[in-house]
Amino acid sequence: FISKGGGAGPGWELIVVPGVGVQVRVFLTSGYASVSSGIGNWSTDGKWHHVALTYNNLGDRQLRLWIDGNLVDTSAAISDTLLSDSSTNLQIGTGGYGPMGGSVGWSRISNIVRYSSNFTPSTRWTPPGTDANTVTQWNMTDGTGTNVTNIGTCGGTSSNCNGTLSNGSWNK
């Protein structure tokens, strides 16, 4: 689905693994931490599903994976240092197992933990509104051409957090 680095690291990835379901891996100085939906919590039914990951580096340091608003897995507390590489592009719709078979309605990255209990997610066609904690949000249902516009704060920087559509098409 979405990755920043991934594969062998540094970075993180939220991907669909055949026979496993949805998996999130966060790369550390010594290996990686992961959570997985299990195949029973992931469906290839052709319907839209909401997938979310939460992590609080200053809190309990646990990865939590949510599917359709339900908590499906929680990692042990991470005691190691997370590895990242700011020069690595963020990618949506592809990951460790190649291009995603399906479409993405919207993607959001926040600087807070948005979910602490089961919730009702926004729909594919009605993305959530943005707020001061929305670092990036790309609504991929209303564009043309190849520019994917970020409607978040971009972390309060003057950086360009827009994206470029490649190897895909707009799904309206």
Side-chain angles (χ1 to χ4, degrees):
F1 289 119
I2 184 168
S3 65
K4 175 98 167 104
W12 52 270
E13 60 188 359
L14 189 151
I15 58 177
V16 176
V17 180
V20 174
V22 176
Q23 183 179 53
V24 176
R25 295 192 302 176
V26 176
F27 295 91
L28 312 168
T29 53
S30 177
Y32 64 88
S34 68
V35 287
S36 175
S37 69
I39 200 67
N41 288 316
W42 182 246
S43 175
T44 55
D45 60 9
K47 296 180 182 175
W48 183 85
H49 293 278
H50 181 274
V51 178
L53 169 70
T54 60
Y55 176 77
N56 185 343
N57 196 45
L58 300 176
D60 63 13
R61 297 180 55 94
Q62 292 178 302
L63 297 170
R64 288 183 173 80
L65 178 63
W66 310 79
I67 296 184
D68 294 332
N70 298 302
L71 180 64
V72 297
D73 197 12
T74 302
S75 74
I78 298 171
S79 59
D80 208 349
T81 302
L82 279 66
L83 295 179
S84 65
D85 182 353
S86 62
S87 67
T88 303
N89 287 333
L90 180 108
Q91 297 181 336
I92 300 171
T94 189
Y97 290 88
M100 181 183 119
S103 61
V104 177
W106 49 271
S107 293
R108 172 173 65 182
I109 297 175
S110 303
N111 60 11
I112 61 167
V113 172
R114 292 200 179 264
Y115 314 115
S116 59
S117 61
N118 290 349
F119 61 96
T120 301
S122 296
T123 68
R124 181 194 189 312
W125 299 108
T126 309
T130 61
D131 58 27
N133 299 110
T134 305
V135 177
T136 57
Q137 182 168 315
W138 301 276
N139 297 339
M140 294 172 240
T141 57
D142 56 2
T144 60
T146 60
N147 189 46
V148 183
T149 303
N150 170 47
I151 61 172
T153 65
C154 205
T157 70
S158 59
S159 298
N160 178 355
C161 292
N162 292 333
T164 302
L165 179 67
S166 61
N167 299 321
S169 61
W170 291 101
N171 188 4
K172 297 181 180 186

